[in-house]
Amino acid sequence: MTVRPDGTAGGHGGPGEPIGDAGPGARPEPGPEARPDPASGSWPGPASRSEPGGRAPGALTVGGSGGGALLVVGDVVTDVVARHRGPLASGTDTASVIRTLPGGAGANVACWAAHWGCADVRLLGRVGAESAAWHERELTACGVRPRLVVDPQAATGTVICLVDTGAAAERTFLTDSGAALRLDPDDWSDALLDGVGRLHLSGYLLFSESGRALVGTASAAARARGVPVSLDPASAGFLQDLGVDRFPSLVEGVDVLLPSRAEACLLTGLPEGADAAAALSRMVPLVVSKEGADGALVARDGTVLVRVPAAPATPLDTTGAGDAFTGAFLAALLAGTDAGAAAAEGCRAGARAVERVGGRPPARGYGAAATPYRAHAG
């Protein structure tokens, strides 16, 4: 069966894997609210390590490729994954296997980028005090350098992922974004871009006023430094609520857009994925559309230039497959490859993701070391 690389949220873990020595409620006392240091832009904590310090030829070369860190700004949430078979039994019990896992589209992208060989991946997100320490440990274990702002009022966002364990492993989300939607420009410092080769913004930021303001602030700072910016629209349902007519102004200055087919079709009003991707590429320089079982499309200047087939997989849980695609795609771009080859890496990562429960790769502490993207042969 082919992979459907279009999931957007999820968690970390697989059947029988440990998730750490403590769960989301393990933080004994909330610490002071963490803010990036405008003077130093430092990334404190156990994940800190030295920063590494290009461009592939060809028509699909993307500006800014070939070096530097990846900075992801976006959501960190707690996933409750309930795997059941067949329809839910209304008004009574449905037998399920339920796990609590770390997730969030932005956090998942960062973890997959690190897993796919990006040497320096950083994440700016906002969480509640009740689970801040747990999320920091889980991100660090995946090779990500987290900067988590601890919200003094809101709890960490929670997503209930209902996964049908039938052949398609389809999933449905119930989302309480919590502290994730309270990330704002005060959490940003231009110094966070020091040593950064790419900035990636989770589309979930678009669904709150403070998040939209942060997208504008971070994008402007990146443009001023010549750092390319990518964005994943994140959720067709939330985009509908936002209003698709608002979207073009919100992504002004974005270099790479990574929608799912459903998101691309919604944003353009076109029924076919290829037509939608082509139309979006007149708005954003490069569009990489995640087409589910049909792989991916790469479009520029109103034309689909590359069609990438899906990688074979036997789905267990499609949660986070799109995040895996995006993380591997960005890791490949930073390694200097062109967009077509990077999309193929994204499809391979999506295939890996759907064969796991949750939206993240294995943590390094559980025996899965990161390998360069080029080592993944399919």
Side-chain angles (χ1 to χ4, degrees), residues 44 78 103 181 189-190 366 375:
T78 299
L181 288 188
S189 163
D190 290 356
Y366 304 145

Side-chain angles (χ1 to χ4, degrees), residues 8-372:
T8 54
H12 147 78
E17 288 183 353
I19 12 185
D21 56 358
R27 187 181 179 91
E29 293 291 339
E33 183 167 338
R35 298 264 179 183
D37 181 355
S40 67
S42 60
W43 292 78
S48 294
R49 56 180 184 262
S50 60
E51 297 180 3
R55 183 185 294 185
L60 289 178
T61 297
V62 182
S65 302
L70 172 65
L71 171 60
V72 179
V73 180
D75 47 317
V76 180
V77 306
T78 299
D79 283 346
V80 179
V81 182
R83 301 178 65 240
H84 62 94
R85 181 171 293 279
L88 297 174
S90 178
T92 186
D93 296 316
T94 300
S96 305
V97 177
I98 300 175
R99 302 181 65 197
T100 300
L101 306 166
N108 293 345
V109 167
C111 290
W112 278 101
H115 184 71
W116 224 251
C118 188
D120 189 351
V121 182
R122 311 170 187 181
L123 173 69
L124 175 64
R126 194 175 183 100
V127 296
E130 83 290 343
S131 61
W134 179 62
H135 278 292
E136 182 170 351
R137 284 195 300 272
E138 293 294 325
L139 288 163
T140 300
C142 282
V144 175
R145 302 170 64 186
R147 164 69 77 172
L148 300 183
V149 180
V150 179
D151 195 292
Q153 298 176 333
T156 301
T158 300
V159 175
I160 297 176
C161 310
L162 304 177
V163 182
D164 188 337
T165 58
E170 201 45 272
R171 75 278 184 276
T172 300
F173 300 137
L174 302 175
T175 302
D176 175 359
S177 296
L181 288 188
R182 290 163 57 88
L183 201 61
D184 63 36
D186 287 341
D187 300 324
W188 175 261
S189 163
D190 290 356
L192 296 174
L193 290 169
D194 291 349
V196 168
R198 283 196 160 273
L199 169 66
H200 178 72
L201 303 171
S202 169
Y204 281 101
L205 294 170
L206 300 177
F207 306 132
S208 71
E209 183 176 351
S210 63
R212 291 189 290 273
L214 175 57
V215 166
T217 297
S219 295
R223 289 198 302 273
R225 294 197 182 200
V227 175
V229 181
S230 58
L231 183 139
D232 186 330
S235 168
F238 284 167
L239 284 172
Q240 185 77 61
D241 294 340
L242 174 71
V244 297
D245 56 321
R246 302 178 64 184
F247 189 77
S249 63
L250 295 175
V251 297
E252 185 177 354
V254 169
D255 301 278
V256 181
L257 190 68
L258 294 131
S260 69
R261 176 162 50 195
E263 292 156 4
C265 290
L266 174 65
L267 289 169
T268 60
L270 298 171
E272 297 297 327
D275 293 339
L280 284 174
S281 71
R282 298 186 185 99
M283 178 197 310
V284 176
L286 183 70
V287 172
V288 182
S289 180
K290 294 168 278 190
E291 298 287 299
D294 295 324
L297 302 173
V298 180
R300 189 195 291 275
D301 297 327
T303 303
V304 173
L305 299 177
V306 176
R307 296 174 182 264
V308 180
T314 301
L316 181 64
D317 176 9
T318 57
T319 303
D323 304 334
F325 180 104
T326 298
F329 175 84
L330 295 174
L333 286 188
L334 277 166
T337 192
D338 65 78
E345 294 302 321
C347 286
R348 294 185 183 109
R352 296 275 186 92
V354 300
E355 294 184 327
R356 299 176 53 77
V357 173
R360 292 192 188 173
R364 293 180 179 181
Y366 304 145
T371 52

